[in-house]
Amino acid sequence: MADTTCALAAPDAYDTATREAVYRTILTRRDTRGDFLPDPVAPERLSRVLLAAHHAPSVGFMQPWDFIILRDSETRRRVHDLFAKANAEAALMFEGERRETYRGLKLEGILEAPLNICVTCDRSRAGPVVIGRTHIPMMDLFSSVCAVQNLWLAARAEGLGVGWVSILDNRALKSLLRLPEGVIPVAYLCIGHVRGFHRRPELETVGWRRRLPLADCVHLDGWGNVGGDPELADRMLGDQAAVDAGRFLTRRLV
Amino acid sequence: MADTTCALAAPDAYDTATREAVYRTILTRRDTRGDFLPDPVAPERLSRVLLAAHHAPSVGFMQPWDFIILRDSETRRRVHDLFAKANAEAALMFEGERRETYRGLKLEGILEAPLNICVTCDRSRAGPVVIGRTHIPMMDLFSSVCAVQNLWLAARAEGLGVGWVSILDNRALKSLLRLPEGVIPVAYLCIGHVRGFHRRPELETVGWRRRLPLADCVHLDGWGNVGGDPELADRMLGDQAAVDAGRFLTRRLV
């Protein structure tokens, strides 16, 4: 009798509808700041989003993440104070017109979102020696970041906006959330239902930075050989143009 | 006339089939080591997978990533030499039986996969001051990790296995790939078609570590309050049991 628990799952690509769903979710995911609604997030949605995060890859199957869900408004007000202080410091690092633009940007939704989630990394979770972390000590932090990205994509599919607030003093945040020694904050996220999802990143819309041409970021067999595979470069140009024209999902998956 | 470029996209959750596709991809993604086939990856698949990576979130819309595609077998042989050296060092860090188990694990597919991709981070890409990186300098590295996770999920949907090789001396790798000053390797990936996808993480199957109970990783309003929201905890227990029983996608999305 075949041991089906050991058999491999089929190696085939998923069908077009499944791939369309995955790319749609990736392409429509946004960093949400000013568009949160106060409506509560249903526990079944939140559970699924956390389950997605928990199935991220992790170095040595370490699963170093925890998820601190913050609903209490007093705690969030104190996090917002940390943001306000750091943001005032940050504004001074920009010059002239850029500083004014910076000050006009809405960069967080800590109090407007119905909940915040701090994703952490417990650096001692699997003991001092971890498979795959022996030569790159940051690998456990990277595992927690993979969990963030899974969470973000699942949230988008569930109709939930997510914003990553990184303008914070992490040491003060660690203290505020009472994280033990060895556990550090990796990402502070605002999450909730939204008025809608922006069609493009807000920093692109306000002219802060443009989307880079993908083909310029792809090198062949070592740094600098951009365009080294002309067939691939042509395909990337076509895919990116299709995204810009809103035709990627309908035209480029077959 | 409405400016449709500024209108927000609908805030609703995606339909059940779309969400099923997203969760299916997240739950079936695996770290592939020993199951690569030599078959070439079609340029249209590779382009889409890179496009997915390029649409990851990035701090200050910095898009700090580059993708070094390695097909040349001589370069990959030299990377494999770096792995072999680091892996021998790593084995000595484990004791007794654990060391023997470690030595028996297949931890990379550098030469068997038809291509490798090094995902990098150009720390100077958007100038010295980057929105959102002012207080957490590692944010740009985290952006490149988000690109890795998007790539990994798109690859799974395309029927491509991905393995992250982290047992490497990054300084030697940087030199080997001729990365300029300020550009650092974030992830070294093996990618290609596979014999099949493992149903569980290989480190779980060999008994190295277990999947943690999700509910134990979720705290309410500060560290330590695990189970603080009983309705959410109950839902997470049910979701995780459904995953184990292979019923999550059919039973838990409605």
Side-chain angles (χ1 to χ4, degrees), chain B residues 117-191:
Chain B
I117 300 178
C118 182
V119 182
T120 60
C121 178
D122 180 352
R123 311 209 65 178
S124 61
R125 177 148 297 166
V129 184
V130 174
I131 288 190
R133 199 187 59 175
T134 52
H135 288 69
I136 305 179
M138 277 191 299
M139 279 301 295
D140 52 1
L141 303 178
F142 292 175
S143 300
S144 289
V145 174
C146 288
V148 170
Q149 185 61 5
N150 268 11
L151 182 157
W152 211 329
L153 293 170
R156 176 61 191 91
E158 296 283 358
L160 298 169
V162 171
W164 183 330
V165 184
S166 59
I167 307 165
L168 288 171
D169 173 348
N170 257 348
R171 273 186 297 186
L173 181 64
K174 176 180 161 76
S175 165
L176 177 52
L177 301 181
R178 307 185 305 274
L179 304 186
E181 183 68 26
V183 175
I184 66 168
V186 170
Y188 191 90
L189 308 175
C190 305
I191 178 167

Side-chain angles (χ1 to χ4, degrees), chain A residues 134-230:
Chain A
T134 51
H135 288 70
I136 305 178
M138 278 192 298
M139 279 302 295
D140 52 1
L141 303 177
F142 292 174
S143 299
S144 289
V145 174
C146 289
V148 170
Q149 185 61 8
N150 268 12
L151 182 157
W152 211 330
L153 293 169
R156 176 62 190 90
E158 296 282 359
L160 298 170
V162 171
W164 184 330
V165 183
S166 59
I167 306 165
L168 288 171
D169 174 346
N170 257 350
R171 274 186 296 186
L173 181 65
K174 176 180 161 77
S175 164
L176 177 51
L177 300 182
R178 307 186 303 275
L179 303 187
E181 182 67 24
V183 176
I184 67 169
V186 170
Y188 192 89
L189 307 175
C190 305
I191 179 166
H193 290 282
V194 293
R195 295 190 303 122
F197 290 93
H198 286 264
R199 294 187 189 273
R200 290 171 179 275
E202 290 176 64
L203 288 179
E204 184 181 10
T205 306
V206 302
W208 189 272
R209 271 178 74 75
R210 292 181 309 114
R211 172 87 62 192
L212 300 175
L214 169 60
D216 291 359
C217 303
V218 177
H219 311 237
L220 186 63
D221 289 323
W223 185 272
N225 190 8
V226 169
D229 178 338

Side-chain angles (χ1 to χ4, degrees), chain A residues 16-32:
Chain A
T16 304
T18 300
R19 291 184 296 124
E20 192 272 351
V22 171
Y23 287 112
R24 175 147 57 116
T25 302
I26 286 173
L27 294 173
T28 58
R29 181 210 51 77
R30 288 290 167 266
D31 190 294
T32 296

